[in-house]
Amino acid sequence: MAIRKLLVANRGEIAVRIIRAARDLGIRTVQAHSEADTASLAVQLADSAVNIGPAQAPKSYLNIKAIVEAAKASGADAVHPGYGFLAESSHFADAVEAAGLTFVGPRGDTIRMMGDKVAARAAAAKAGVPTVPGSDGRIDDVAEAEALAGKIGYPVMIKAAAGGGGRGIRIAHDPKEFAQFFQLAQTEARSAFGDGGLYVEKVVGQARHIEVQVLGDGTNVIHCFERECSLQRRRQKVWEEAPSTALSEDARQRLCDSAVALAQSVNYRGAGTLEYLYDDASGDFYFIEMNTRIQVEHPVTEWITGVDLVGEMLRIAGGEPLRLRQQDVTRRGHAIEVRINAEDPSNDFMPFPGVVGGLRIPGGPGVRFDTMLYQGYAIPPFYDSLLGKLIVWGEDRERAIVRMKRALGELEVAGVKTTIPLYAALAGDPDVRANAVHTRWLEHWLESNAKQL
């Protein structure tokens, strides 16, 4: 049954994005918000709003009981989790469904399986998708793990089985580091995810991070091509683009086919992303994990394909079969997204909450700015520092970068420091312009350039 009233269980720019997609489909919206977000743009744009608790996320945006009760009390028949917070919580998906509401995303069982990195690797292997050499399952014993690390060769990555977003990861270059990091990673994993399970993977040298966007209705799955997200700081993506100029058409086809095969094998429902490491030298790719939600960087895919991914999520959750066949999804031009954060890039990216004293949003051909900002908005200190996403499109990558430089020059967020200077510098860097980068390139670049930003 089509969704009539949607509770948005998130905040910031993704809440605004969801409200707009819902309105395009004639769906009424209820914005769930904390006490700190009473004046947010999402609250202003939604048809109604409901306070779900104090500013601290565990008492509001992570409070499953409060959100489900708010959804029922407001008359919503569906809940969209956005990204972050409870977006990949199988318990949340289960609780929403148990309350007789529709969860806009995959079933709890699917989230549970693909959120467990060990189970996801097993599912990939079963679907014939290559994975990075590493442990077959969880390893709890450090001696056993150390023996495996020696067998596959250093450096190796120690990862939390229940981790995500780059958290819970340590890289060991020798046995001494391995023993030390294994214990630390186990403690961190228990603290961050409530699950101390670890596994070990070989580090692929100078790899690119490439991910494939998929859409599924529980029966059929299609892909919407790939995004490249190799520019990362502390394993957090900062610059994303589509398509990847590193891939040949043959490699692209094999990569996208493998993503569809894996998603199809788990009867995936909703929007999801399969992440891979790609080795330039060999042309090999390895599945690393699946994100069972909408991604921050989804607009670059929307721009090159013309597919409204959030809108398709809502249609699928409402019971519609996939409207698109694979041959309907084509790509055109090149899109780039950068994340505008309230951080000082010249001071180790220190968070910089404050009041937006003035705001100039860029426009013109090929420019989109997804944000929750408005003049006078007080940025709360309690949450992620993401203020908005600047997305540009050009007929090719070079023209997209030119537009990015132009749009960054127009964008002004007065009153707070932002990451705008970082992207202006990157847009002019010869390696970035040539796309001669890898997942650790930015860390090295920042060592020499951060103070000048």
Side-chain angles (χ1 to χ4, degrees), residues 328-345:
D328 298 327
V329 184
T330 57
R331 56 192 167 90
R332 175 175 172 269
H334 197 98
I336 301 172
E337 173 186 295
V338 295
R339 304 184 186 196
I340 309 300
N341 289 65
E343 296 175 347
D344 182 359

Side-chain angles (χ1 to χ4, degrees), residues 226-228 239-246 252 299-301 303-305 331-337 366 391-401 403 432 435:
E226 84 286 356
R227 299 183 284 261
E228 178 164 354
W239 167 302
E240 297 113 341
E241 56 187 282
S244 168
T245 57
R252 174 173 292 112
V300 295
T301 296
W303 213 327
I304 66 162
T305 62
R331 56 192 167 90
R332 175 175 172 269
H334 197 98
I336 301 172
E337 173 186 295
I391 311 107
V392 298
W393 179 90
E395 294 174 6
D396 53 36
R397 188 171 186 271
E398 185 177 342
R399 293 179 202 189
I401 290 177
R403 275 192 177 148
V432 174
N435 198 20

Side-chain angles (χ1 to χ4, degrees), residues 71-415:
K72 292 170 68 177
S74 63
D77 52 10
V79 176
H80 198 309
Y83 54 69
F85 294 129
L86 296 170
E88 290 181 286
S89 166
S90 56
H91 299 303
F92 184 47
D94 289 344
V96 170
E97 299 278 357
L101 308 171
T102 297
F103 181 76
V104 183
R107 288 173 285 273
D109 286 348
T110 308
I111 297 173
R112 219 168 347 262
M113 178 169 62
M114 301 313 284
D116 183 309
K117 304 299 182 293
V118 175
R121 280 172 60 91
K126 191 175 178 183
V129 179
T131 57
V132 180
S135 51
D136 292 330
R138 292 167 182 249
I139 298 185
D140 297 316
D141 181 72
V142 65
E144 182 189 350
E146 195 171 336
L148 175 67
K151 184 178 176 183
I152 62 178
Y154 288 94
V156 298
M157 201 173 284
I158 304 166
K159 304 176 78 171
R167 299 177 66 198
I169 295 176
R170 297 268 175 163
I171 294 177
H173 294 83
D174 54 50
K176 186 178 177 182
E177 279 191 345
F178 188 90
Q180 178 187 355
F181 290 168
F182 192 88
Q183 303 292 349
L184 287 172
Q186 218 161 31
T187 303
E188 284 178 359
R190 286 197 191 98
S191 172
F193 311 113
D195 179 350
L198 300 178
Y199 69 103
V200 175
E201 273 183 1
K202 185 174 178 58
V203 172
V204 179
Q206 299 202 348
R208 292 178 186 269
H209 182 117
I210 295 178
E211 59 191 30
V212 178
Q213 176 72 57
V214 296
L215 281 172
D217 60 10
T219 302
N220 297 308
V221 176
I222 61 169
H223 70 77
C224 296
F225 298 101
E226 84 286 356
R227 299 183 284 261
E228 178 164 354
C229 317
S230 297
L231 286 173
Q232 300 180 5
R233 174 179 170 270
R234 296 179 181 173
R235 302 185 190 90
Q236 299 289 320
K237 303 161 191 171
V238 301
W239 167 302
E240 297 113 341
E241 56 187 282
S244 168
T245 57
L247 295 181
S248 66
E249 282 303 321
D250 175 65
R252 174 173 292 112
Q253 190 65 54
R254 288 187 289 114
L255 188 72
C256 293
D257 286 349
S258 80
V260 170
L262 178 48
Q264 192 91 54
S265 73
V266 297
N267 299 317
Y268 195 77
R269 183 186 74 187
T273 301
L274 294 101
E275 301 197 337
Y276 296 83
L277 291 179
Y278 179 75
D279 186 337
D280 266 343
S282 66
D284 294 329
F285 58 83
Y286 307 96
F287 169 77
I288 48 176
E289 66 180 36
M290 181 174 192
N291 293 311
T292 53
R293 55 174 164 77
I294 194 71
Q295 296 272 96
V296 177
E297 57 270 29
H298 74 273
V300 295
T301 296
E302 291 187 329
W303 213 327
I304 66 162
T305 62
V307 176
D308 177 348
L309 292 170
V310 180
E312 294 304 323
M313 288 180 81
L314 293 170
R315 290 178 184 277
I316 292 167
E320 288 188 33
L322 269 176
R323 296 187 311 145
L324 300 166
R325 300 165 300 169
Q326 189 60 66
Q327 57 266 38
D328 298 327
V329 184
T330 57
R331 56 192 167 90
R332 175 175 172 269
H334 197 98
I336 301 172
E337 173 186 295
V338 295
R339 304 184 186 196
I340 309 300
N341 289 65
E343 296 175 347
D344 182 359
S346 67
N347 189 17
D348 199 26
F349 293 83
M350 181 168 292
F352 212 97
V355 176
V356 178
L359 180 65
R360 185 173 66 199
I361 294 177
V367 177
R368 166 178 167 180
F369 189 51
D370 283 15
T371 187
M372 77 300 199
L373 294 180
Y374 58 85
Q375 190 167 339
Y377 175 64
I379 302 166
F382 309 103
Y383 312 112
D384 184 275
S385 61
L386 183 67
L387 301 179
K389 305 176 312 197
L390 178 60
I391 311 107
V392 298
W393 179 90
E395 294 174 6
D396 53 36
R397 188 171 186 271
E398 185 177 342
R399 293 179 202 189
I401 290 177
V402 168
R403 275 192 177 148
M404 177 60 77
K405 291 181 71 174
R406 188 254 295 170
L408 286 166
E410 292 180 16
L411 177 57
E412 182 179 334
V413 185

Side-chain angles (χ1 to χ4, degrees), residues 2-84:
I3 298 169
R4 298 185 304 274
K5 195 171 188 180
L6 176 74
L7 182 119
V8 182
N10 213 299
R11 63 178 303 281
E13 68 84 23
I14 190 61
V16 173
R17 172 73 184 87
I18 294 167
I19 290 167
R20 287 173 171 156
R23 187 152 291 158
D24 285 349
L25 294 173
I27 300 171
R28 295 180 64 75
T29 54
V30 183
Q31 177 60 43
H33 67 90
S34 72
E35 291 170 2
D37 279 333
T38 302
S40 70
L41 183 60
V43 169
Q44 297 174 33
L45 293 179
D47 295 299
S48 60
V50 56
N51 186 331
I52 53 170
Q56 294 81 3
K59 298 178 179 177
S60 50
Y61 296 109
L62 292 171
N63 187 335
I64 292 176
K65 183 179 178 185
I67 293 171
V68 172
E69 287 179 355
K72 292 170 68 177
S74 63
D77 52 10
V79 176
H80 198 309
Y83 54 69

